[in-house]
Coordinates of all heavy atoms in Angstrom, one line a residue:
Chain D
T20 N 12.5 -10.4 4.2 CA 12.0 -9.1 3.7 C 11.1 -9.3 2.5 O 11.6 -9.9 1.5 CB 13.1 -8.1 3.4 OG1 13.9 -7.9 4.6 CG2 12.6 -6.8 2.9
L21 N 9.9 -8.8 2.6 CA 9.0 -8.8 1.4 C 8.8 -7.4 0.9 O 8.8 -6.5 1.6 CB 7.6 -9.4 1.9 CG 7.7 -10.7 2.8 CD1 6.3 -11.1 3.1 CD2 8.4 -11.8 2.1
S22 N 8.6 -7.4 -0.4 CA 8.5 -6.1 -1.1 C 7.1 -5.9 -1.8 O 6.5 -6.9 -2.2 CB 9.6 -6.0 -2.1 OG 9.6 -4.7 -2.8
C23 N 6.7 -4.6 -1.8 CA 5.4 -4.3 -2.4 C 5.5 -3.0 -3.2 O 6.0 -2.0 -2.7 CB 4.4 -4.2 -1.3 SG 2.8 -3.5 -1.9
S24 N 5.1 -3.0 -4.4 CA 5.0 -1.8 -5.2 C 3.5 -1.4 -5.5 O 2.8 -2.2 -6.1 CB 5.7 -2.0 -6.6 OG 7.1 -2.1 -6.4
P25 N 3.1 -0.3 -5.0 CA 1.7 0.0 -5.1 C 1.3 0.5 -6.5 O 2.2 0.7 -7.3 CB 1.5 1.2 -4.1 CG 2.8 1.8 -4.0 CD 3.8 0.7 -4.2
I26 N 0.0 0.7 -6.7 CA -0.5 1.3 -7.9 C 0.1 2.7 -8.0 O 0.1 3.4 -7.0 CB -2.0 1.3 -7.9 CG1 -2.5 -0.2 -8.1 CG2 -2.5 2.1 -9.1 CD1 -4.0 -0.3 -7.9
S27 N 0.5 3.1 -9.2 CA 1.1 4.4 -9.4 C 0.1 5.5 -8.9 O -1.1 5.5 -9.3 CB 1.3 4.6 -10.9 OG 1.8 5.9 -11.2
G28 N 0.7 6.4 -8.1 CA -0.2 7.5 -7.6 C -0.8 7.2 -6.2 O -1.2 8.1 -5.5
H29 N -0.8 5.9 -5.8 CA -1.3 5.6 -4.5 C -0.2 5.8 -3.4 O 0.9 5.4 -3.6 CB -1.7 4.1 -4.4 CG -3.0 3.8 -5.1 ND1 -3.6 2.6 -5.0 CD2 -3.8 4.6 -5.9 CE1 -4.8 2.7 -5.7 NE2 -4.9 3.9 -6.2
R30 N -0.6 6.5 -2.3 CA 0.3 6.8 -1.3 C 0.2 6.0 0.0 O 1.0 6.0 0.8 CB 0.2 8.3 -0.9 CG 0.5 9.2 -2.1 CD 0.0 10.6 -1.9 NE 0.5 11.3 -0.7 CZ 0.0 12.4 -0.2 NH1 -1.0 13.0 -0.8 NH2 0.6 13.0 0.9
S31 N -0.9 5.2 0.0 CA -1.1 4.4 1.2 C -0.8 2.9 0.9 O -1.3 2.4 -0.2 CB -2.6 4.5 1.6 OG -2.9 3.6 2.6
V32 N -0.1 2.3 1.7 CA 0.2 0.8 1.6 C -0.1 0.1 2.9 O 0.4 0.5 3.9 CB 1.7 0.6 1.2 CG1 2.0 -0.9 1.2 CG2 2.0 1.2 -0.2
S33 N -0.9 -0.9 2.8 CA -1.2 -1.7 4.0 C -0.7 -3.2 3.8 O -0.6 -3.6 2.6 CB -2.7 -1.8 4.2 OG -3.2 -0.5 4.4
W34 N -0.4 -3.8 4.9 CA 0.0 -5.2 4.8 C -1.0 -6.1 5.7 O -1.4 -5.6 6.7 CB 1.4 -5.4 5.4 CG 2.5 -4.8 4.5 CD1 3.0 -3.5 4.5 CD2 3.2 -5.5 3.5 NE1 3.9 -3.4 3.6 CE2 4.1 -4.6 3.0 CE3 3.2 -6.9 3.1 CZ2 5.0 -5.0 1.9 CZ3 4.1 -7.2 2.1 CH2 5.0 -6.3 1.5
Y35 N -1.3 -7.3 5.1 CA -2.2 -8.2 5.8 C -1.5 -9.6 5.8 O -0.8 -9.9 4.9 CB -3.5 -8.3 5.1 CG -4.3 -7.0 5.2 CD1 -4.1 -6.0 4.3 CD2 -5.4 -6.9 6.1 CE1 -4.8 -4.8 4.4 CE2 -6.1 -5.7 6.2 CZ -5.9 -4.7 5.3 OH -6.6 -3.6 5.4
Q36 N -1.8 -10.4 6.8 CA -1.4 -11.8 6.9 C -2.7 -12.7 6.8 O -3.7 -12.4 7.4 CB -0.7 -12.0 8.2 CG -0.2 -13.5 8.4 CD 0.0 -13.8 9.8 OE1 -0.9 -13.9 10.7 NE2 1.3 -14.1 10.1
Q37 N -2.6 -13.7 5.9 CA -3.7 -14.6 5.8 C -3.2 -16.0 6.1 O -2.3 -16.6 5.5 CB -4.3 -14.6 4.4 CG -5.6 -15.4 4.3 CD -6.3 -15.2 3.0 OE1 -5.7 -14.9 2.0 NE2 -7.6 -15.4 3.0
T38 N -3.9 -16.6 7.1 CA -3.6 -18.0 7.5 C -5.0 -18.8 7.5 O -6.0 -18.1 7.7 CB -3.0 -18.1 8.8 OG1 -3.8 -17.5 9.8 CG2 -1.6 -17.5 8.9
P39 N -5.0 -20.1 7.3 CA -6.2 -20.8 7.4 C -6.9 -20.7 8.8 O -8.1 -20.7 8.8 CB -5.8 -22.3 7.2 CG -4.5 -22.2 6.4 CD -3.8 -20.9 7.0
G40 N -6.1 -20.6 9.8 CA -6.8 -20.5 11.1 C -7.3 -19.2 11.5 O -8.3 -19.1 12.2
Q41 N -6.5 -18.1 11.2 CA -6.9 -16.8 11.6 C -7.5 -15.9 10.6 O -8.0 -14.8 10.8 CB -5.6 -16.1 12.2 CG -5.0 -16.7 13.4 CD -5.9 -16.8 14.6 OE1 -6.6 -15.8 14.9 NE2 -6.0 -17.9 15.2
G42 N -7.5 -16.4 9.4 CA -8.1 -15.6 8.3 C -7.2 -14.4 7.9 O -6.0 -14.5 8.1
L43 N -7.8 -13.4 7.4 CA -7.0 -12.2 7.0 C -6.9 -11.2 8.2 O -7.9 -10.8 8.7 CB -7.8 -11.5 5.9 CG -7.4 -11.9 4.4 CD1 -8.6 -11.7 3.5 CD2 -6.2 -11.1 3.9
Q44 N -5.7 -10.9 8.5 CA -5.5 -10.0 9.7 C -4.6 -8.8 9.2 O -3.6 -9.0 8.6 CB -4.8 -10.7 10.8 CG -5.7 -11.8 11.4 CD -5.1 -12.4 12.7 OE1 -4.1 -13.1 12.6 NE2 -5.6 -12.0 13.8
F45 N -4.9 -7.6 9.7 CA -4.2 -6.4 9.4 C -2.9 -6.3 10.2 O -2.9 -6.6 11.4 CB -5.1 -5.2 9.7 CG -4.5 -3.9 9.7 CD1 -4.3 -3.3 8.5 CD2 -4.1 -3.2 10.8 CE1 -3.7 -2.0 8.4 CE2 -3.5 -2.0 10.8 CZ -3.3 -1.4 9.6
L46 N -1.8 -6.0 9.5 CA -0.5 -5.9 10.1 C -0.2 -4.4 10.4 O 0.0 -4.0 11.5 CB 0.6 -6.5 9.2 CG 0.7 -8.0 9.3 CD1 1.4 -8.5 8.0 CD2 1.6 -8.4 10.5
F47 N -0.1 -3.6 9.3 CA 0.1 -2.2 9.5 C -0.1 -1.4 8.2 O -0.3 -2.0 7.1 CB 1.6 -1.8 9.9 CG 2.6 -2.8 9.5 CD1 3.0 -3.0 8.2 CD2 3.3 -3.6 10.5 CE1 3.9 -3.9 7.9 CE2 4.3 -4.5 10.2 CZ 4.6 -4.7 8.8
E48 N -0.2 -0.1 8.3 CA -0.5 0.8 7.1 C 0.5 1.9 7.1 O 0.8 2.5 8.2 CB -1.9 1.4 7.2 CG -2.2 2.3 6.0 CD -3.5 3.0 6.0 OE1 -4.0 3.1 7.1 OE2 -4.0 3.4 5.0
Y49 N 1.0 2.2 6.0 CA 1.9 3.4 5.8 C 1.3 4.4 4.8 O 0.7 4.0 3.9 CB 3.3 2.9 5.3 CG 4.1 2.2 6.3 CD1 3.9 0.8 6.5 CD2 5.0 2.9 7.1 CE1 4.6 0.2 7.5 CE2 5.7 2.2 8.1 CZ 5.5 0.9 8.3 OH 6.3 0.2 9.3
F50 N 1.6 5.6 5.1 CA 1.1 6.7 4.3 C 2.2 7.8 4.3 O 2.6 8.2 5.3 CB -0.2 7.3 4.8 CG -0.8 8.3 3.9 CD1 -1.7 8.0 2.9 CD2 -0.4 9.7 4.0 CE1 -2.3 9.0 2.1 CE2 -1.0 10.6 3.2 CZ -1.9 10.3 2.2
S51 N 2.7 8.1 3.1 CA 3.8 9.1 3.0 C 4.9 8.8 3.9 O 5.3 9.7 4.7 CB 3.2 10.5 3.2 OG 2.3 10.9 2.2
E52 N 5.4 7.6 3.9 CA 6.5 7.1 4.7 C 6.3 7.0 6.2 O 7.3 6.7 6.9 CB 7.8 8.0 4.4 CG 8.1 8.0 2.9 CD 9.3 8.9 2.6 OE1 10.4 8.6 3.1 OE2 9.1 10.0 1.9
T53 N 5.1 7.2 6.6 CA 4.8 7.2 8.1 C 3.9 6.0 8.4 O 2.9 5.9 7.7 CB 4.2 8.5 8.5 OG1 5.1 9.6 8.2 CG2 3.9 8.5 10.0
Q54 N 4.2 5.3 9.4 CA 3.2 4.3 9.9 C 2.1 4.9 10.6 O 2.3 5.6 11.6 CB 3.9 3.3 10.8 CG 3.0 2.1 11.1 CD 3.7 1.1 12.1 OE1 3.5 1.2 13.3 NE2 4.4 0.2 11.6
R55 N 0.9 4.8 10.0 CA -0.3 5.5 10.6 C -1.2 4.5 11.4 O -2.0 5.0 12.2 CB -1.1 6.0 9.5 CG -0.5 7.3 8.8 CD -1.6 8.2 8.4 NE -1.1 9.4 7.7 CZ -1.9 10.3 7.3 NH1 -3.2 10.2 7.4 NH2 -1.4 11.4 6.7
N56 N -1.0 3.2 11.2 CA -1.9 2.3 11.9 C -1.2 1.0 12.0 O -0.5 0.6 11.1 CB -3.2 2.2 11.0 CG -4.4 1.8 11.8 OD1 -4.4 1.7 13.0 ND2 -5.5 1.5 11.1
K57 N -1.5 0.3 13.1 CA -0.8 -0.9 13.4 C -1.7 -2.0 14.0 O -2.5 -1.6 14.8 CB 0.4 -0.7 14.3 CG 1.4 -1.9 14.5 CD 2.5 -1.5 15.4 CE 3.6 -2.5 15.4 NZ 3.1 -3.9 15.8
G58 N -1.6 -3.2 13.5 CA -2.4 -4.3 14.0 C -1.8 -4.9 15.3 O -0.7 -4.4 15.8
N59 N -2.3 -6.0 15.7 CA -1.9 -6.6 16.9 C -0.9 -7.8 16.7 O -1.2 -9.0 16.8 CB -3.1 -7.2 17.7 CG -2.7 -7.6 19.1 OD1 -1.8 -7.2 19.7 ND2 -3.5 -8.6 19.6

Side-chain angles (χ1 to χ4, degrees):
Chain D
T20 299
L21 312 181
S22 181
C23 171
S24 292
I26 291 173
S27 177
H29 283 190
R30 294 162 62 189
S31 169
V32 173
S33 298
W34 289 89
Y35 293 81
Q36 180 197 65
Q37 185 171 28
T38 60
Q41 299 297 318
L43 271 152
Q44 293 185 288
F45 171 78
L46 279 156
F47 29 65
E48 179 186 23
Y49 287 85
F50 185 93
S51 293
E52 301 179 66
T53 301
Q54 186 182 91
R55 286 211 181 183
N56 204 8
K57 189 176 189 304
N59 189 26

